[in-house]
Amino acid sequence: GTQYEMIKKDLAGEKKNVGVIHLNRPKALNALCRQLMTELSQALTEYENDASIGAIVITGNEKAFAAGADIKEMMGNTYAECIIGNFLADWTKVSNVRKPTIAAVNGYALGGGCELAMMCDIIYAGDKAKFGQPEIAIGTIPGAGGSQRLTRVIGKSKAMEMCLTGNMITAEEAERTGMVSKIFPADQLLNEAVKLGEKISSHSPLTVALCKEAVNVAYETTLQEGLRFERRTFHATFSTKDQKEGMKAFSEKRAPNFTSE
Ligand code: CAA
């Protein structure tokens, strides 16, 4: 496989069907430099193309999930360079992966680190996790969804407060607002995220992909369009063998055997 320097990949779960990506630049608190993001996109693409993988977990270490975009790398950027290079546009791979993604956040998730977590489908947090958008303190603003996704997730008042003060919130606050779905002791976090990935992987990958797409439409369109998309996608599941198998297995009181057809 590909050689990585700033991330590590390994397969987890009893059936090795959960693809884990460890952000691995600990000396810089996993600051998300260009090379790290390129490697992350590459690793995501590999898991996406690997039929044995049903879900993907992205994690960091106990001190930091990621402390943001790499300040030292970007500090000299000119406006023209940002435009010509479409700075940060290459981060979108994370939100476009078709398989479910789980962020397992211990420690700091700041700036681009918080944005990266929010690009994932589900966030699990360790009890010491801290989330923040501190860009304001260094003369810039969130650039990878912080002002947009955060506002949709936790509401305007809290998002404004975080983006305008740069203050961090705790794992408990993040859970209370719905940004994080569950909190675990730090040393159990990754294991719990993998268990979640295994549960998702036990379902039909085909149906899971459709379901993920449907939930995401809720973020991107009006309710009316979203409901129409959902209903038609629901109808489409009836063209799959997995729907026939799933309902047959239920009526025969046995476990389904999904084939993604
Ligand atoms: N970029 C580059 N390097 C970073 C970094 C970042 N975002 N965050 C931390 N580092 C580096 C530090 O420079 C330091 O390197 P050296 O040892 O070479 O000096 C190393 O990681 C350890 O960091 P600290 O010594 O600062 O560790 P600490 O425990 O004292 O503080 C912290 C931890 C509060 C997270 C602090 O590191 C910090 O405030 N980091 C920056 C957070 C930030 O502003 N993030 C937003 C970036 S902008 C952005 O992300 C834009 C966007 O929307 C995409």
Side-chain angles (χ1 to χ4, degrees):
T2 318
Q3 286 299 303
Y4 292 108
E5 264 178 62
M6 297 191 173
I7 62 164
K8 278 195 284 195
K9 278 175 79 187
D10 62 54
L11 302 183
E14 259 172 52
K15 297 181 177 160
K16 299 286 174 212
N17 55 6
V18 180
V20 181
I21 299 173
H22 302 263
L23 308 178
N24 188 30
R25 204 189 163 204
K27 284 188 184 134
L29 303 185
N30 292 333
L32 303 166
C33 62
R34 194 177 290 270
Q35 183 183 340
L36 191 156
M37 291 310 291
T38 303
E39 291 186 10
L40 177 59
S41 297
Q42 174 74 32
L44 287 168
T45 303
E46 286 170 7
Y47 282 150
E48 199 170 36
N49 295 335
D50 180 343
S52 68
I53 299 300
I56 301 164
V57 173
I58 302 177
T59 195
N61 55 54
E62 291 226 351
K63 173 148 191 195
F65 177 73
D70 190 319
I71 298 169
K72 293 164 196 169
E73 184 181 68
M74 71 181 150
M75 61 192 294
N77 283 6
T78 65
Y79 181 43
E81 283 163 354
C82 288
I83 294 172
I84 295 296
N86 205 2
F87 184 41
L88 296 188
D90 52 341
W91 288 32
T92 44
K93 176 67 197 171
V94 186
S95 48
N96 291 338
V97 180
R98 278 171 285 114
K99 293 180 180 176
T101 50
I102 301 156
V105 177
N106 268 324
Y108 295 114
L110 302 179
C114 186
E115 292 168 313
L116 174 63
M118 289 191 291
M119 285 179 196
C120 295
D121 299 317
I122 298 169
I123 307 179
Y124 271 10
D127 50 7
K128 303 281 181 340
K130 291 242 197 288
F131 298 84
Q133 296 291 158
E135 290 90 345
I136 196 77
I138 54 169
T140 186
I141 72 165
S147 67
Q148 304 301 301
R149 288 199 178 91
L150 193 62
T151 306
R152 287 175 189 231
V153 173
I154 72 174
K156 178 175 163 180
S157 179
K158 283 180 188 292
M160 277 288 188
E161 197 178 339
M162 283 177 71
C163 291
L164 297 181
T165 63
N167 292 346
M168 300 180 216
I169 61 169
T170 61
E172 284 76 28
E173 287 174 271
E175 189 195 26
R176 214 180 311 127
T177 60
M179 177 183 185
V180 156
S181 54
K182 290 198 177 79
I183 303 177
F184 300 97
D187 61 347
Q188 289 165 35
L189 173 69
L190 181 57
N191 191 33
E192 293 291 339
V194 168
K195 280 203 282 192
L196 173 65
E198 285 184 285
K199 178 73 198 259
I200 293 169
S201 301
S202 72
H203 303 309
S204 157
L206 170 64
T207 319
V208 163
L210 291 176
C211 191
K212 167 170 171 162
E213 200 179 350
V215 174
N216 273 335
V217 169
Y219 266 103
E220 291 155 9
T221 57
T222 62
L223 181 60
Q224 202 183 3
E225 280 179 70
L227 289 170
R228 187 162 42 225
F229 180 88
E230 181 197 68
R231 181 167 316 144
R232 195 57 84 214
T233 306
F234 167 67
H235 293 163
T237 63
F238 286 81
S239 70
T240 68
K241 285 189 183 158
D242 283 351
Q243 173 269 330
K244 296 290 172 288
E245 167 62 11
M247 295 194 185
K248 193 157 178 277
F250 174 82
S251 64
E252 292 170 359
K253 302 188 191 299
R254 60 168 175 84
N257 180 19
F258 293 125
T259 56
S260 274
E261 290 170 282

